[in-house]
Each structure stands twice: as C-alpha cells, then as structure tokens.
Amino acid sequence: MNFLNQFRERNQLIKEWIYEAAETIKKSFDAELEIQQKTNRNDLVTNMDKAIEKHFIEKIHHFFPGERILGEEGFGDAVHSLDGVVWIIDPIDGTLNFIKQQDDFAIMVAVYENGKGQLGFIYDVMQDKFYAAQVGEGAYCNGNRLSPIKDTPLKEGLVAISSALMSEKTGLARAVGRTSSGVRLIGSAGIETVHVASGRLVAYLAASLAPWDIAAGKVIAEEVGLVYTKLNGNKIDLLQKNPSLVATPTAHKEIIDLLNSNGKSYM
Ligand code: 2AM
Ligand code: CA
C-alpha cells in the first residue's frame, strides 16, 4: 500500500472528520461542561476534549487500521517512536479559551511518516478557517493557497509569546517582544502558528509545547517557508515537550541570537 497515493483520500476524510468534530463542539456550548484539572489549575481537560479525541480514534481505526495514534488525552497508543505512520491529534487546542471564552480554539490533526510531517490540519472553529497542508504541495486556508511568507525581520513584525514564556524570569522573551513591533497573545499554539503562516505575525514562541501542539502547525509552517525549531535552534523532538519557535527565517535567527546570548541557552 503506497502512502503517497492515498493523500487525496486521507485529506478528504480528515476534513470531514474535523468538520463533524467542530459541529459537536459548537453544539456543546448549550450543555454544561465537565472540567477536570490535569497538571495544574490552568491545564484543564473537558468531556469535549475526550469525546473529540475518541471520535478521531474511532475513524482512524476504521479507515486506517494498524496506524498508531498519539493524542493529547491519551486514548491513542503509547507512542515511543515515530516509525511508520503516526497520527498526532489535539482534539481541542486552547482548552482554556474554549472553557472561558468559547472562542479562539482549534482542532488539530497531523499525519507523520517515519518522523516526517506529511499532512497538517488546523481548524480555527469560531473563525471558520480551515488550514491544510500537504508536504511539497503548499498550504491552504479554506481552499485558497497561502502565499510563501515574506522574510520580515523581527523589528518590523508582531510576535506571539506564550504567557508562560512572557513571565519567565530571565526576561529574554520580553526582550524579544520589545525588539518586535509588538506582542499579541491568543493562547492557542495552533492559531498562533497559522497566524505566522498567513503573515499576520513574524514569530510565535512558547515555553513548552507538546507534540500535538506542534505537529500540524509545523507541516503548515514549513510549507510557506517558515522555520520551526526549539528555542535554542535545535530540531523539534515530537516524542517530547519542546520550548518552541516558529518564525520567518530572518526573525528566527534574530530571536535565537537574542535568547541564547550572554551564555544563557534555552533547551
Ligand atoms: P492546549 O490548550 O491543547 O493544552 C496556551 O498558551 C497554548 O499552550 C495552548 O496551545 C495549549 O494547548 C498549550 N499548552 C501546552 N502545554 C500546556 C500546559 N501544561 N498548560 C496549558 N497550556 C499548555
Ligand atoms: Ca488540547
């Protein structure tokens, strides 16, 4: 079975599953959410995060039996290697926004093969913006191809910085903010990444992103010419959490230099 030949079928199915998931999420606004705390009071999970992850897992098991799934809520497989085809899923990215604002959250699905991103999907549910990318074929928003990004330097662009990184002690991330034209915060790694991919921002930096926060956005970002690495410039490891940076090539270099100056270095 040739994975490459299946792109069109996969793309279509994934799109259908994501729109179905979005309908389920929007309908849930009228019902009471069940909210549980994970690692801390700002790291929450709801019955919807769990239901949506299960929805994707059932579909993948049905249509692509045997393929492994790495999902945020843990209903997939214990994935310790990226060999073969691995699905990486965040059922709701920006769960705090979903709970507190019912806005600015995304559904994210990626397909990797032997560690390389093949397909990436981010659906900004409330803006109804569906971002999709296939390796080597460009990135699209609602069917319109995204232009290759302009290589804007840091001082001429807006940046998004995660709140954890903004409040970090050394102040190096705040220096990045000061060097830029201004800081904009949303609180959804997926939405912030697609805003870099569509040219609204020149960079997005976060202290600690999980594989499912990164996987789909990385495929989309790289298709438009952005650079996506750890905060020290090293390669992203999709089996771990990563301090993360996605930026235009010029802003990427400037931010790495700022963050790793004075002998300080970000993992
Ligand atoms: P999540 O909503 O899927 O958990 C918020 O700045 C962004 O960081 C969101 O994309 C959020 O994803 C992600 N994030 C990663 N780890 C987190 C954590 N431990 N607590 C809160 N948000 C986290
Ligand atoms: Ca999530």
Side-chain angles (χ1 to χ4, degrees):
M1 197 163 52
N2 185 342
F3 180 72
L4 287 172
N5 288 340
Q6 292 183 348
F7 270 156
R8 202 159 351 122
E9 186 194 354
R10 280 179 193 259
N11 270 316
Q12 192 49 41
L13 286 170
I14 296 167
K15 188 171 170 182
E16 284 168 21
W17 304 341
I18 290 176
Y19 278 111
E20 279 169 25
E23 281 313 304
T24 307
I25 293 173
K26 284 189 279 187
K27 279 194 201 125
S28 80
F29 287 163
D30 298 329
E32 195 166 329
L33 274 179
E34 293 161 32
I35 303 171
Q36 290 168 326
Q37 192 168 308
K38 294 205 280 188
T39 56
N40 62 65
R41 72 187 172 88
N42 294 320
D43 187 13
L44 304 175
V45 61
T46 73
N47 54 314
M48 287 313 297
D49 298 72
K50 294 178 186 177
I52 299 302
E53 181 162 311
K54 286 178 183 164
H55 154 81
F56 284 113
I57 288 173
E58 274 170 27
K59 297 286 188 189
I60 296 164
H61 281 164
H62 180 76
F63 286 93
F64 303 102
E67 295 186 358
R68 292 180 303 146
I69 307 163
L70 174 58
E72 173 164 17
E73 310 314 339
F75 298 110
D77 302 290
V79 171
H80 302 296
S81 91
L82 295 176
D83 295 343
V85 177
V86 178
W87 295 72
I88 306 180
I89 294 174
D90 190 342
I92 301 182
D93 174 55
T95 297
L96 266 181
N97 291 349
F98 169 62
I99 295 169
K100 294 182 184 294
Q101 305 178 329
Q102 300 187 335
D103 201 353
D104 286 333
F105 59 88
I107 300 169
M108 310 209 284
V109 176
V111 183
Y112 277 63
E113 190 184 29
N114 296 323
K116 187 164 169 37
Q118 302 289 338
L119 301 173
F121 302 85
I122 296 181
Y123 185 39
D124 178 340
V125 174
M126 302 313 287
Q127 289 289 323
D128 188 22
K129 288 200 169 158
F130 187 89
Y131 295 86
Q134 178 175 321
V135 66
E137 300 293 327
Y140 291 79
C141 176
N142 291 350
N144 301 313
R145 189 163 181 155
L146 297 181
S147 310
I149 49 97
K150 234 177 110 222
D151 190 12
T152 309
L154 180 60
K155 67 175 182 346
E156 288 174 23
L158 297 169
V159 298
I161 303 178
S162 75
S163 40
L165 196 57
M166 280 296 274
S167 47
E168 167 278 336
K169 282 199 212 83
T170 67
L172 287 171
R174 293 191 289 286
V176 172
R178 279 195 303 278
T179 309
S180 75
S181 295
V183 180
R184 300 290 181 271
L185 303 186
I186 295 176
S188 152
I191 294 177
E192 276 151 326
T193 301
V194 293
H195 285 181
V196 187
S198 59
R200 297 170 57 146
L201 302 171
V202 290
Y204 169 58
L205 305 72
S208 174
L209 293 186
W212 40 84
D213 296 315
I214 298 170
K218 188 165 181 290
V219 179
I220 295 169
E222 291 178 347
E223 277 304 305
V224 295
L226 295 167
V227 185
Y228 204 140
T229 67
K230 295 199 207 186
L231 286 179
N232 61 6
N234 288 351
K235 208 166 158 280
I236 294 286
D237 178 354
L238 282 176
L239 295 172
Q240 290 190 356
K241 286 201 156 198
N242 295 258
S244 301
L245 166 63
V246 53
T248 66
T250 295
H252 184 271
K253 186 178 179 316
E254 293 170 313
I255 293 167
I256 295 284
D257 287 348
L258 270 168
L259 291 180
N260 300 285
S261 58
N262 307 322
K264 295 195 182 86
S265 177
Y266 278 83
M267 291 299 287

